[in-house]
RNA sequence: GCGCCCGUAGCUCAGUGGACAGAGCAACGGCCUUCUAAGCCGUCGGCCGGAGGUUCGAAUCCUCCCGGGCGUACCA
């Protein structure tokens, strides 16, 4: 990688000055006149060196190897601007072509078992666009880590126990009675959505009038039936988006195996709990949490937090080295309590991290829709996916920084469906595919002489390709998949501009082959980027 | 009240200490006998919410204020 090798070269030059080490950066230059890469080493080192940045820069430059750069300049306040020899850039492309499948990020994961848990929506209704953002975020994050060499598993946690499921059963039963023409009403906190009507109708067809009253037996039946049907709905919604899970974890299992009780005992042993007002509390605050929270209610039922702690102990026991939970920003008190609990239990600090995101609001006709599953006010993920397609939904969901609110403008998404960033990127891939279809010859890009690549547009293209591994690494480590979405868009921009100004087929043979080799690498990076984003790479459009 | 996140072009957003702050959309004007015009090129557009501070240097870090979202349950 160019950046890394320049960093090394500069660091060696710095060493020769016998000064204490400093941390500096090497970045692609913002303007052509600043060369290919710029470093601030003289700016950050001026203090240690006790001289002005420009003087220091001059001293560094003297000890740079002669053959590395075509030109080195001191600019502005003391930047060192480096102009690379084309051979160096060609060598970089050569490296990518030689390294066929492996051209990619450093394998810092080295087989480490990492789990990404996401969506984990209650099985009480179909997924909304809000869940959609999380689904795509979690899925892309998983792919990013996988490409860093982690052994990644995607997990969905079903809260198929507790109060919300009771409410679902009551709501569903009410719809079932309504299907019989009876006057039953959905509980105030219940689920009003139309999707229950259909399910109730099916139940009526199956069992007729078997449950005239909502007693224990009816409750159990409607819970089971509702949860089962809705789980399938959710799986379908996710499959349609191209999101696949390795494991569907059921809360019920935790209770059945006694893991909740065991988790409570473990916390008690470490003196992480106390009793107050008949309830058992977690000592979260003195362990870095925001506030103490109830683990066991005064009526003896465990809270969501209690079960969640048991769930995370279970994850640890399964041999996972790291766990990333993707969650909405409304959970941050809960998150701090979870971390506090793990601290009490003596788990490694970096075992669990949260990738937090803000919500999606749907804007339609200039109006913002506030969504609520219970009130039946929402846009269904499946409706969005059916209308716009998997690629468009995925790109829009992941193109924004997770911590900002995502305004999904439906009108715009529809209207733009023709000159959409999605098609813009895919079209770049398609154009390359088209050139290869038309090219008469098949050449092995690894043995092509790259020296004819002299245009600044193509040297820039190579430099952009070179930064791909770093983008992937940063996108993963910062939980920032939008960096990759943006990278792909920028690469497409650079390619389209190049394509407009330079021909490939019909050029003199040496030049043509060199350009075909370049396009091989460009296409490979598009493919890899879109693969990680979970988008298709059409050969024709 | 307190805690977390956000405030950058008309709109949607990049930019987590560096050189004159970027892109898409919208608006306006050019470019198809040549590898797919789902494209390219150009013009217009900004006191980076406000005020202080830190330093060689701030959209970026700190403090305060203003505006928005979320949380502040023995809900999940």
């Amino acid at each position: 990688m160019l950046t890394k090798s320049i960093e090394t070269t500069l660091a060696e030059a710095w060493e020769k000055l016998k000064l204490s080490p400093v941390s500096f950066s090497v970045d692609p230059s913002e303007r052509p006149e600043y060369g290919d890469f710029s470093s601030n080493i003289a700016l950050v080192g001026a203090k240690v060196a006790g001289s002005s940045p420009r003087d220091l820069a001059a001293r560094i430059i003297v000890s740079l190897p002669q053959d590395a750069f075509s030109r080195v300049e001191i600019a502005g306040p003391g930047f060192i601007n480096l102009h690379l020899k084309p051979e160096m850039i060609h060598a970089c492309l050569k490296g990518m072509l030689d390294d066929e499948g492996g051209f990619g990020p450093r394998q810092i994961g080295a087989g480490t078992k990492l789990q990404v848990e996401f969506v984990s929506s209650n099985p009480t209704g179909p997924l909304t666009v809000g869940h959609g953002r999380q689904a795509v975020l979690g899925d892309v994050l998983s792919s990013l880590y996988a490409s860093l060499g982690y052994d990644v598993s995607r997990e969905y946690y079903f809260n198929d126990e507790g109060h919300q499921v009771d409410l679902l059963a009551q709501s569903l039963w009410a719809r079932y009675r309504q299907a019989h023409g009876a006057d039953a009403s959905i509980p105030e906190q219940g689920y009003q959505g139309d999707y229950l009507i259909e399910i109730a109708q099916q139940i009526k067809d199956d069992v007729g009038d078997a449950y005239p009253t909502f007693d224990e037996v009816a409750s159990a039946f409607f819970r089971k039936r509702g949860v089962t049907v809705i789980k399938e709905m959710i799986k379908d919604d996710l499959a349609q988006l191209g999101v696949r899970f390795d494991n569907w974890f059921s809360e019920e299992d935790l209770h059945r195996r006694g893991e909740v009780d065991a988790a409570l005992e473990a916390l008690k042993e470490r003196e992480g709990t106390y009793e107050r007002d008949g309830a058992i509390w977690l000592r979260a605050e003195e362990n870095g949490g925001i506030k103490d929270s109830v683990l066991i209610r005064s009526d003896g039922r465990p809270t969501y937090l209690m079960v969640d702690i048991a769930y995370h102990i279970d994850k640890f026991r399964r041999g996972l080295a790291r766990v990333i939970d993707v969650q909405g920003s409304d959970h941050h008190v809960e998150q701090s309590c979870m971390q506090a609990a793990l601290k009490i239990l003596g788990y490694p600090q970096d075992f669990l991290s949260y990738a937090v995101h803000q919500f999606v609001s749907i804007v339609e006709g200039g109006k913002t829709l506030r969504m609520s599953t219970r009130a039946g006010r929402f846009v269904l993920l499946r409706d969005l996916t059916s209308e716009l397609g998997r690629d468009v939904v995925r790109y829009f969901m992941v193109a924004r920084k997770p911590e900002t609110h995502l305004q999904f403008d439906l009108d715009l998404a529809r209207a733009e469906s023709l000159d959409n960033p999605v098609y813009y990127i895919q079209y770049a891939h398609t154009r390359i595919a088209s050139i290869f279809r038309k090219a008469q010859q098949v050449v092995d890009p690894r043995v092509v002489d790259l020296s004819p690549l002299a245009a600044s547009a193509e040297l820039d293209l190579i430099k952009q390709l070179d930064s791909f591994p770093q983008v992937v690494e940063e996108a993963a480590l910062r939980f920032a998949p939008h960096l990759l979405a943006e990278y792909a868009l920028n690469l497409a921009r650079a390619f389209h501009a190049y394509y407009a100004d330079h021909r490939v087929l019909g050029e003199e043979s040496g030049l043509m082959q060199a350009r075909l080799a370049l396009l091989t690498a460009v296409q490979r990076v598009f493919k890899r980027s879109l693969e990680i984003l979970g988008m298709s790479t059409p050969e024709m459009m």
Side-chain angles (χ1 to χ4, degrees):
Chain A
M1 272 187 285
L2 292 171
T3 313
K4 282 274 177 286
S5 77
I6 294 169
E7 260 171 34
T8 309
T9 308
L10 282 172
E12 281 163 9
W14 179 261
E15 248 171 65
K16 289 184 194 155
L17 298 181
K18 308 256 185 265
L19 294 164
S20 47
V22 290
S23 93
F24 61 96
S25 64
V26 172
D27 298 296
S29 301
E30 282 174 24
R31 294 156 200 281
E33 61 267 33
Y34 295 162
D36 296 303
F37 289 87
S38 306
S39 177
N40 66 351
I41 186 166
L43 290 160
V44 297
K47 195 163 270 176
V48 202
S51 64
S52 81
R54 290 190 69 104
D55 288 346
L56 178 59
R59 286 163 62 199
I60 296 169
I61 286 173
V62 174
S63 39
L64 286 175
Q66 301 286 329
D67 58 343
F69 308 101
S70 64
R71 199 144 50 92
V72 179
E73 292 162 335
I74 303 168
F79 289 101
I80 297 179
N81 291 335
L82 305 152
H83 300 252
L84 299 185
K85 289 184 175 168
E87 299 83 70
M88 200 164 162
I89 299 175
H90 294 152
C92 171
L93 174 59
K94 187 101 184 125
M96 294 180 218
L97 292 167
D98 285 344
D99 191 12
E100 193 148 5
F103 166 66
R106 298 188 293 156
Q107 297 299 292
I108 56 176
T112 305
K113 287 185 79 166
L114 177 146
Q115 180 204 75
V116 182
E117 183 213 324
F118 56 110
V119 188
S120 296
S121 155
N122 292 335
T124 52
L127 298 181
T128 66
V129 294
H131 301 121
R133 183 179 201 184
Q134 185 165 132
V136 180
L137 218 51
D139 190 43
V140 175
L141 220 41
S142 301
S143 298
L144 283 166
Y145 274 92
S147 72
L148 292 178
Y150 285 88
D151 177 9
V152 177
S153 58
R154 293 161 165 84
E155 183 150 310
Y156 190 118
Y157 174 61
F158 274 120
N159 295 119
D160 46 12
E161 276 279 318
H163 188 52
Q164 297 307 317
V165 177
D166 288 337
L167 285 171
L168 172 74
Q170 287 178 49
S171 307
L172 183 56
W173 179 80
R175 289 297 195 192
Y176 162 79
R177 293 315 300 160
Q178 287 169 8
H180 281 88
D183 184 26
S185 60
I186 292 169
E188 207 172 312
Q189 298 293 309
Y191 295 92
Q192 311 283 341
D194 292 345
Y195 57 92
L196 290 183
I197 297 175
E198 251 177 76
I199 303 174
Q201 186 59 47
Q202 279 169 15
I203 295 176
K204 184 189 162 201
D205 295 346
D206 287 355
V207 303
D209 204 10
Y211 300 101
T213 54
F214 192 73
D215 52 20
E216 291 257 322
V217 183
S219 171
F221 176 81
F222 282 89
R223 284 171 64 115
K224 180 133 205 277
R225 184 68 182 254
V227 165
T228 306
V229 174
I230 290 173
K231 276 185 180 176
E232 287 312 309
M233 267 171 132
I234 289 173
K235 289 181 182 182
D236 287 347
D237 291 352
L238 291 166
Q240 191 190 11
L241 242 197
V243 177
R244 292 219 315 253
F245 285 87
D246 300 297
N247 200 21
W248 306 86
F249 194 94
S250 164
E251 178 185 350
E252 217 186 332
D253 292 346
L254 286 173
H255 293 279
R256 218 186 34 236
R257 298 190 210 122
E259 294 190 41
V260 179
D261 298 335
L264 180 62
E265 282 316 306
L267 285 169
K268 278 183 176 168
E269 263 169 43
R270 297 217 172 212
E271 292 174 357
T273 66
Y274 61 90
E275 285 194 42
R276 198 178 77 203
D277 306 328
I280 300 176
W281 295 68
L282 176 73
R283 288 186 200 280
E285 213 170 318
E286 60 193 77
N287 289 286
I290 292 170
K291 53 182 288 192
D292 290 359
S293 301
V294 171
L295 294 170
I296 305 292
R297 300 178 178 89
S298 47
D299 65 5
R301 288 155 50 230
T303 58
Y304 173 85
L305 173 63
M306 181 66 247
V307 183
D308 206 23
I309 293 170
Y311 177 39
H312 282 82
I313 293 175
D314 183 272
K315 291 185 185 195
F316 190 77
R317 294 238 171 93
R318 278 189 263 161
L320 296 164
R322 280 196 62 192
V323 162
I324 297 170
D325 288 5
V326 186
Q327 285 192 358
S329 62
D330 54 335
H331 286 62
H332 98 270
V333 172
E334 149 86 13
Q335 288 159 7
S336 78
C337 289
M338 186 69 234
Q339 295 284 19
L342 293 181
K343 189 176 169 199
I344 291 167
L345 295 168
Y347 284 72
Q349 192 105 48
D350 64 346
F351 174 62
L352 168 65
S353 29
Y354 286 100
V356 176
H357 67 91
Q358 290 286 348
F359 300 105
V360 182
S361 46
I362 289 286
V363 182
E364 188 175 22
K367 279 188 302 184
T368 304
L369 251 81
R370 260 201 80 220
M371 284 177 280
S372 157
T373 310
R374 289 180 206 172
R377 263 201 326 265
F378 45 74
V379 175
L380 293 182
L381 178 60
R382 62 166 84 120
D383 293 342
L384 199 71
T385 313
S386 302
E387 178 172 0
L388 301 172
R390 175 192 294 186
D391 290 344
V392 173
V393 173
R394 290 189 71 116
Y395 186 86
F396 272 67
M397 287 298 187
V398 92
R400 301 280 174 253
K401 245 191 321 203
E403 61 266 35
T404 57
H405 289 94
L406 175 59
Q407 301 241 5
F408 206 115
D409 189 329
L410 265 188
D411 304 315
L412 200 72
R414 290 173 183 134
E416 271 191 357
S417 59
L418 271 190
D419 55 353
N420 201 293
V422 175
Y423 302 129
Y424 184 84
I425 297 167
Q426 291 178 329
Y427 187 46
H429 177 270
T430 300
R431 276 180 148 175
I432 297 172
S434 174
I435 290 175
F436 280 117
R437 269 197 307 277
K438 295 228 158 125
Q440 297 294 323
Q441 52 190 300
V442 180
V443 289
D444 182 350
R446 288 170 299 182
V447 300
V448 169
D449 170 23
L450 300 172
S451 60
L453 299 175
S456 66
E458 49 207 6
L459 296 177
D460 287 345
L461 219 34
I462 297 170
K463 284 185 281 175
Q464 267 190 56
L465 296 179
D466 180 60
S467 67
F468 172 73
Q470 285 157 277
V471 170
V472 170
E473 189 173 323
E474 199 184 346
L477 298 182
R478 280 176 51 194
F479 300 155
H482 70 285
L483 295 176
L484 182 60
E486 195 173 71
Y487 172 82
L489 188 61
N490 284 330
L491 185 61
R493 215 189 311 285
F495 169 76
H496 284 307
Y498 174 69
Y499 180 92
D501 287 342
H502 302 84
R503 287 196 58 82
V504 177
L505 304 182
E507 292 288 347
E508 172 275 317
S509 164
L511 180 59
M512 180 176 77
Q513 292 196 16
R515 287 186 172 166
L516 284 172
L518 169 62
L519 293 193
T520 303
V522 176
Q523 189 180 31
R524 213 173 271 169
V525 172
F526 274 126
K527 212 165 190 137
R528 202 57 204 109
S529 301
L530 290 171
E531 216 170 78
I532 293 173
L533 294 170
M535 295 162 60
S536 60
T537 46
E539 296 285 311
M540 275 187 270
M541 287 174 77

